[in-house]
Amino acid sequence: NAGVTQTPKFQVLKTGQSMTLQCAQDMNHNSMYWYRQDPGMGLRLIYYSASEGTTDKGEVPNGYNVSRLNKREFSLRLESAAPSQTSVYFCASSTPSTPQFTFGSGTRLTVV
Amino acid sequence: SQQGEEDPQALSIQEGENATMNCSYKTSINNLQWYRQNSGRGLVHLILIRSNEREKHSGRLRVTLDTSKKSSSLLITASRAADTASYFCATGPNSGNTPLVFGKGTRLSVIA
């Protein structure tokens, strides 16, 4: 099925550990995004990539890095996880001809 | 910071009733979109209305946009238990390659 695939779906980390969240889309979309969702806060943009080879910070980039590996893949890395990064992370993609976003099913991350 | 703000934060109605959710935003927009999120899932695009449109329909959904008041409303007619979800409005300055800014959402409960 065409869409956005996120891995893993669940993860528990200890404070200070690192991990990479993976995202891949097979719709040939140009732009990809990482959001986090916390209770009562809606979705907040972490980083985005308007096109292959470019990345830009969003509203809450501190503690995260991203890599646009190719047109399909956009990964989010936590170098040293903190309890404040406990959240649900969503990847999304879009393209100018289809401005509506397609979202992945999310990664639920807990940092203890 | 959130661009769109939904109102009310929570809404509980009986099956068969209509549900109306409102969204206000702050800056100029190219389009406004509504998304639905079922519990524990990713967001799903419902409908997009462009800044030069005033009303749009899709099945049981009706969206209005008033750019002079910087507001939009989503009406779900003849609601069903399956409509129980959170609904988010999202705005963006351009189409398809820039991030959407999401509100905090309206949590709709439809009681059978």
Side-chain angles (χ1 to χ4, degrees), chain B residues 42-105:
Chain B
L43 280 72
V44 175
H45 179 262
L46 293 176
I47 195 166
L48 178 152
I49 186 166
R50 300 190 185 278
S51 58
N52 61 353
E53 298 176 310
R54 292 295 169 260
E55 186 170 313
K56 201 163 184 179
H57 296 255
S58 177
R60 294 185 295 113
L61 304 180
R62 172 178 170 252
V63 170
T64 61
L65 179 64
D66 186 335
T67 53
S68 67
K69 296 181 179 178
K70 292 186 168 57
S71 67
S72 174
S73 67
L74 171 67
L75 169 68
I76 303 174
T77 60
S79 62
R80 305 165 181 170
D83 294 327
T84 294
S86 291
Y87 292 83
F88 296 86
C89 69
T91 56
N94 292 309
S95 292
N97 63 352
T98 52
L100 290 176
V101 181
F102 288 82
K104 295 181 181 180

Side-chain angles (χ1 to χ4, degrees), chain A residues 76-90:
Chain A
L76 178 71
R77 182 161 178 83
L78 287 70
E79 291 291 350
S80 179
S84 60
Q85 294 178 305
T86 293
S87 188
V88 182
Y89 292 85
F90 289 101

Side-chain angles (χ1 to χ4, degrees), chain A:
Chain A
N1 291 334
V4 177
T5 303
Q6 290 184 238
T7 56
K9 294 189 183 303
F10 302 93
Q11 184 71 48
V12 178
L13 288 179
K14 294 182 179 179
T15 297
Q17 286 185 320
S18 63
M19 78 162 294
T20 299
L21 282 65
Q22 307 286 353
C23 176
Q25 52 90 10
D26 57 6
M27 297 169 289
N28 202 34
H29 284 176
N30 294 324
S31 304
M32 299 184 73
Y33 314 84
W34 278 105
Y35 289 87
R36 61 177 287 174
Q37 185 177 33
D38 302 294
M41 296 294 292
L43 275 78
R44 293 183 292 170
L45 182 69
I46 306 171
Y47 271 94
Y48 71 102
S49 171
S51 60
E52 187 179 356
T54 69
T55 60
D56 285 284
K57 295 179 179 180
E59 180 185 355
V60 289
N62 290 345
Y64 305 96
N65 286 302
V66 289
S67 295
R68 184 74 183 265
L69 304 170
N70 48 55
K71 192 172 186 178
R72 291 187 62 248
E73 299 172 288
F74 188 39
S75 62
L76 178 71
R77 182 161 178 83
L78 287 70
E79 291 291 350
S80 179
S84 60
Q85 294 178 305
T86 293
S87 188
V88 182
Y89 292 85
F90 289 101
C91 178
S93 68
S94 70
T95 204
S97 60
T98 54
Q100 56 265 36
F101 282 22
T102 300
F103 280 84
S105 58
T107 294
R108 186 174 296 275
L109 176 67
T110 302
V111 184
V112 298

